[in-house]
Amino acid sequence: MEKGARVSQDLVHFETDVLVIGSGAAGMAAALSAGGAGASVIIADRSLIGRSGATIMAQMTVAVALGSQTPDASEFHLADTLKAGRDLCEPSLSSLVCEEGPQDILKLDEWRVGWARNEDGSIRQAHAPGHDRPRCVYVDFLSTGPAVAKTLRGRVLREKGVTRIGDLYITDLTVTDGVVTGAVGFSMADGRAITIAAGAVVLATGGLTRLYGRNSASANMAGDGFALALRAGAELIDMEFVQFFPIGHLAPRLVGMDPIMWDPFRYKLGGKLLNAEFREFVNDYGNEEEGRYNVTRDRATFAILSEVKAGRGSPAGGAYLSFQHIPEADLRAAFGPVIDRLAANGIDLTQMPIEVAPIAHYHMGGVRVNRAMETTVPGLYAAGEVNGGSNGANRLSGNAITEALVFGRHAGESAARFARGTGRTAGAPQAALDLVTATTGVETENYAGDIEELQKVMADLVGPFRTEAGLTEALARIAAIKARLGALPPGVPGLYDMARLDWFDLRTMLEVAEMVTRSALARKESRGAHQRDDFPLMDPAYVLHHRVRRAGDAIVLDRVPVEGSTLVEVA
Amino acid sequence: MSITATLTVRRGEGGQMTTTSSYEVPYTPGQSVLDGLRYVRAHLDPTVAIRHSCLSANTCKECMIQVDGKVDYACTARLEPREMLLEPLGNKAHLRDLVTEVAPPDERLAHALAARAKAEG
Ligand SMILES: Cc1cc2nc3c(=O)[nH]c(=O)nc-3n(C[C@H](O)[C@H](O)[C@H](O)COP(=O)(O)OP(=O)(O)OC[C@H]3O[C@@H](n4cnc5c(N)ncnc54)[C@H](O)[C@@H]3O)c2cc1C
Ligand code: FES
């Protein structure tokens, strides 16, 4: 007998009012509000609770109209959000983030998250690109995400009705008569299959940027929630809009640091983007950056990649970012310990520029929800980066954490309310159970290698610049990798089996890659984060969402109007 | 010839570490041990288990192993162009290869099951 088989094959079953999948800011906020409303809650994460997604990695800032240092109001924050979204935001969702953000940020302050202060004690607000005034709160030094995650985790720990289960990988949702009634998964630690019957389920699984070769993602950002929602029959929108972070770290190799760390350096200190000729170029592309760093992400990405294409990129294929004009004392005052961490990597900013390039960073598209965070399937709620609609074609920096907090709170409340009115349906679909209990022979296919191949396809052909030919080729290559995915995961349920995990991840990533690529192919224009070389202009006829759904085994794509727009089909 | 590093990994599950496997991986200055292990998984042997989430931000703290007998994060320990011995932590329950049980006890499945059994009396 195979060794792993000695691990119990018993099916573990749980019952709960609300199941929250994912424990980033959105999941923890949902668990807190559902628990606060009296529901029993299970919060499950495929890795460690509160430590494995994007939230803890967010080093920078959180946008919120507090007006603590410059007068501000949610209307101004909303105006900037809608402008960045290039006419594709759902205003009712964006306005929820802007109106209620302050409440959640102040709640975190009460919980001692440690927002940086001005000398007069007011909460400090930095001026990030795309915002009309200083609006972004943060925790020094580059500790915003860790502080938010730790604070929320501490609160979740105290909430009696909430059970936390880490290393629980959810593989499918259970749908009974068109209503989501729970989920199926397995324990990473020991391989046991798990079913959970829930009155309501909140998806808070974060984004999909692991689909791309160069990314800021963790291993858990394979886009699970998009695939779970699709398979459960929910609608998704705007899947073509992947945000590339323009100045991700490229070279020299930097370990122990977040690849997007250079942004706060630019807010606080300036910093010059230079091409291979050591010349500033961002303003050559219709921008007006004067000392202040104010160009939005899509425009900066465009400028850098255009220079690379024109043969003026840095050696590793990006742009130089230089802080050489800034005195060392200023660098230290702004980033203290971070300067030492850089030194340990052999980087002295006073002496050398570093190289940066656009990397996949955030997903604007996702599960379609209303203001109550209801998806289009009863019993299923979604919150955080897995949602679509609030950021349109391009997200304003700092809005993601705010949205995770606000949407998470609403999703938890709504799910608790729904669960109160429903019973529990035990039982799970046999097909899903077959996957998590499968015992198969030794696998010859290397799924970790297939994942790497898929990441290359997405980066090369479905990256920031797209063409009809490239996208069509990408679909063919996605299909070719899919043909190699066996019907069942390899091996037997066992202890921390990563080869088995790779099978589940690849299954998800292929589905999600297809949704992104198909949507990108259908959008024959350039808007925000979606840039088509063959359709370089924004076309007003495309102020529409691409919607994807499942019909049988196929993914179908059509268009739905943007809230407040009269356009129903491409003219 | 290009420069390589050799990663010798202790293998096995549930505390039974019966073998080691050695892998030769390409070496570029500045890379981490985790970079090398990820190369192994994608190109040489996907069955090698190394737990990690954040890859290079060093926020998840899941990738702690022993590198040449010293406890370190696989994502911050530097890959070096020589043979390196990689072993799981010695003081945590062993799961597979380089993976040990690092989750806080009250966030594990076993804890949830025990708590439920207790609640049900
Ligand atoms: C490096 C980096 C820096 C960033 N900086 C900022 C910033 O400064 N400001 C800002 O506003 N935004 C920033 N963002 C974006 C922001 O961090 C995210 O959009 C936000 O944290 C998402 O929160 P979330 O709760 O939706 O998802 P996450 O925090 O990503 O959490 C999702 C969780 O779901 C779990 N999960 C996934 N699939 C499954 C499954 N199948 N079963 C069980 N669990 C699962 C994951 O393990 C993870 O723990 C940054 C993102 C990155 C990657
Ligand atoms: S991989 Fe996250 S700390 Fe090493």
Side-chain angles (χ1 to χ4, degrees):
Chain A
M1 197 169 77
E2 284 267 346
K3 235 196 190 165
R6 90 189 121 70
V7 172
S8 162
Q9 293 271 334
D10 291 352
L11 195 74
V12 176
H13 180 71
F14 286 99
E15 305 240 336
T16 184
D17 292 333
V18 175
L19 167 65
V20 178
I21 307 172
S23 64
M28 290 196 283
L32 283 175
S33 70
S40 62
V41 178
I42 290 178
I43 181 165
D45 200 288
R46 54 179 282 173
S47 193
L48 301 181
I49 299 291
R51 288 199 266 163
S52 308
T55 302
I56 199 168
M57 294 168 74
Q59 293 189 331
M60 304 196 294
T61 60
V62 182
V64 58
L66 287 181
S68 70
Q69 105 189 8
T70 313
D72 200 358
S74 64
E75 302 90 89
F76 302 130
H77 185 188
L78 180 62
D80 287 344
T81 301
L82 298 180
K83 189 169 153 214
R86 309 284 194 292
D87 293 331
L88 283 198
C89 292
E90 289 289 286
S92 61
L93 294 177
S94 315
S95 62
L96 190 65
V97 177
C98 298
E99 283 158 17
E100 297 191 2
Q103 158 186 349
D104 288 300
I105 293 310
L106 293 174
K107 178 61 89 185
L108 279 172
D109 193 52
E110 212 176 278
W111 291 342
R112 297 171 192 273
V113 72
W115 300 127
R117 301 280 162 167
N118 292 309
E119 268 163 24
D120 65 0
S122 59
I123 294 177
R124 181 178 294 190
Q125 300 195 272
H127 196 162
H131 293 272
D132 70 347
R133 66 194 73 206
R135 182 174 290 135
C136 295
V137 302
Y138 59 92
V139 180
D140 268 325
F141 289 95
L142 304 188
S143 295
T144 300
V148 168
K150 186 167 168 229
T151 304
L152 289 171
R153 192 160 163 265
R155 304 308 298 196
V156 170
L157 210 122
R158 286 194 218 173
E159 190 67 55
K160 282 238 160 359
V162 179
T163 303
R164 293 157 288 139
I165 311 180
D167 286 334
L168 198 176
Y169 186 123
I170 300 292
T171 54
D172 279 288
L173 298 176
T174 303
V175 186
T176 315
D177 299 330
V179 179
V180 169
T181 53
V184 177
F186 65 93
S187 157
M188 266 312 288
D190 63 15
R192 269 186 291 182
I194 296 173
T195 55
I196 302 172
V201 174
V202 177
L203 272 181
T205 45
L208 54 62
T209 43
R210 188 185 164 201
L211 280 182
Y212 287 86
R214 281 180 189 161
N215 64 52
S216 64
S218 88
N220 306 311
M221 297 181 213
D224 299 18
F226 306 104
L228 289 169
L230 180 81
R231 278 185 238 127
E235 297 176 3
L236 296 98
I237 55 169
D238 297 341
M239 289 299 283
E240 62 271 46
F241 293 101
V242 181
Q243 181 170 71
F244 285 78
F245 179 82
I247 53 169
H249 186 82
L250 185 59
R253 180 78 177 101
L254 181 60
V255 302
M257 304 285 293
D258 187 318
I260 72 154
M261 60 173 288
W262 298 115
D263 228 30
F265 273 75
R266 291 202 76 201
Y267 303 155
K268 283 197 185 175
L269 299 168
K272 294 180 180 160
L273 274 176
L274 308 171
N275 63 14
E277 299 157 1
F278 292 100
R279 189 171 59 74
E280 293 193 70
F281 58 86
V282 172
N283 290 351
D284 299 350
Y285 297 91
N287 303 308
E288 287 169 30
E289 200 169 64
E290 286 293 343
R292 263 234 77 77
Y293 168 34
N294 61 6
V295 172
T296 53
R297 290 181 176 171
D298 50 351
R299 289 174 151 274
T301 294
F302 180 78
I304 294 171
L305 291 184
S306 300
E307 283 297 297
V308 174
K309 225 193 282 177
R312 292 188 295 270
S314 65
Y320 288 113
L321 177 61
S322 171
F323 297 92
Q324 283 160 279
H325 56 293
I326 295 164
E328 183 169 4
D330 294 3
L331 285 168
R332 271 219 174 262
F335 289 100
V338 181
I339 303 299
D340 297 322
R341 275 195 267 159
L342 287 170
N345 276 282
I347 295 174
D348 177 352
L349 294 177
T350 62
Q351 298 300 320
M352 60 198 270
I354 44 106
E355 290 179 58
V356 295
I359 59 176
H361 182 54
Y362 176 87
H363 193 53
M364 269 73 72
V367 183
R368 194 174 187 207
V369 294
N370 62 16
R371 264 172 88 101
M373 302 303 129
E374 292 167 340
T375 69
T376 47
V377 181
L380 183 63
Y381 299 78
E385 191 170 336
V386 76
N387 284 3
S390 48
N391 299 291
N394 183 44
R395 172 177 66 94
L396 194 61
S397 72
N399 272 13
I401 299 276
T402 318
E403 132 194 298
L405 294 167
V406 173
F407 289 178
R409 174 166 51 78
H410 279 276
E413 278 165 13
S414 299
R417 199 176 316 121
F418 184 86
R420 217 172 288 142
T422 55
R424 222 74 82 248
T425 316
Q430 194 55 46
L433 288 174
D434 286 347
L435 297 185
V436 290
T437 56
T439 58
T440 50
V442 174
E443 184 60 62
T444 49
E445 185 71 21
N446 182 342
Y447 294 121
D450 291 335
I451 289 175
E452 205 178 85
E453 184 182 331
L454 178 62
Q455 289 173 321
K456 190 166 160 36
V457 170
M458 294 302 285
D460 291 350
L461 303 172
V462 199
F465 289 118
R466 301 159 174 184
T467 61
E468 169 126 18
L471 293 167
T472 309
E473 186 189 335
L475 283 175
R477 292 182 54 188
I478 291 166
I481 301 173
K482 200 171 198 163
R484 302 204 295 268
L485 181 76
L488 294 172
V492 296
L495 303 171
Y496 218 94
D497 188 339
M498 289 185 65
R500 209 167 154 92
L501 179 73
D502 290 333
W503 183 92
F504 282 100
D505 280 348
L506 182 61
R507 165 193 183 226
T508 292
M509 291 169 82
L510 287 165
E511 282 175 330
V512 180
E514 185 181 337
M515 288 193 260
V516 173
T517 310
R518 293 257 317 265
S519 305
L521 190 57
R523 185 167 288 279
K524 298 185 195 309
E525 64 151 358
S526 291
R527 181 182 298 272
H530 167 80
Q531 293 291 324
R532 289 278 301 255
D533 280 347
D534 41 0
F535 298 97
L537 299 179
M538 193 145 89
D539 180 351
Y542 274 93
V543 179
L544 289 160
H545 297 297
H546 283 134
R547 167 175 71 173
V548 289
R549 283 172 297 167
R550 207 180 71 154
D553 277 339
I555 294 173
V556 292
L557 184 143
D558 63 1
R559 299 186 171 98
V560 289
V562 176
E563 182 189 337
S565 155
T566 50
L567 217 54
V568 291
E569 196 31 90
V570 176
Chain B
M1 218 192 77
S2 57
I3 309 175
T4 61
T6 301
L7 296 178
T8 297
V9 182
R10 265 243 200 279
R11 307 293 304 275
E13 26 173 327
Q16 312 264 300
M17 276 164 290
T18 42
T19 52
T20 56
S21 306
S22 280
Y23 306 98
E24 199 176 330
V25 302
Y27 166 81
T28 347
Q31 277 187 311
S32 67
V33 167
L34 183 60
D35 291 336
L37 285 166
R38 291 176 63 224
Y39 180 90
V40 169
R41 297 202 67 252
H43 300 274
L44 305 173
D45 182 356
T47 67
V48 173
I50 167 68
R51 177 181 186 129
H52 61 87
S53 281
C54 66
L55 305 182
S56 56
N58 196 225
T59 45
C60 73
K61 313 291 184 192
E62 292 176 23
C63 64
M64 213 186 253
I65 59 170
Q66 295 188 70
V67 179
D68 295 323
K70 285 213 323 238
V71 172
D72 210 338
Y73 294 110
C75 70
T76 56
R78 300 280 174 174
L79 191 67
E80 289 171 27
R82 59 176 174 87
E83 179 172 359
M84 302 180 83
L85 176 64
L86 308 181
E87 298 167 291
L89 294 178
N91 59 351
K92 303 255 186 215
H94 182 240
L95 296 178
R96 183 189 298 269
D97 302 341
L98 300 176
V99 182
T100 49
E101 183 55 272
V102 292
D106 64 344
E107 292 178 354
R108 298 180 194 167
L109 177 61
H111 183 266
L113 288 169
R116 183 177 66 182
K118 200 168 145 207
E120 285 167 357

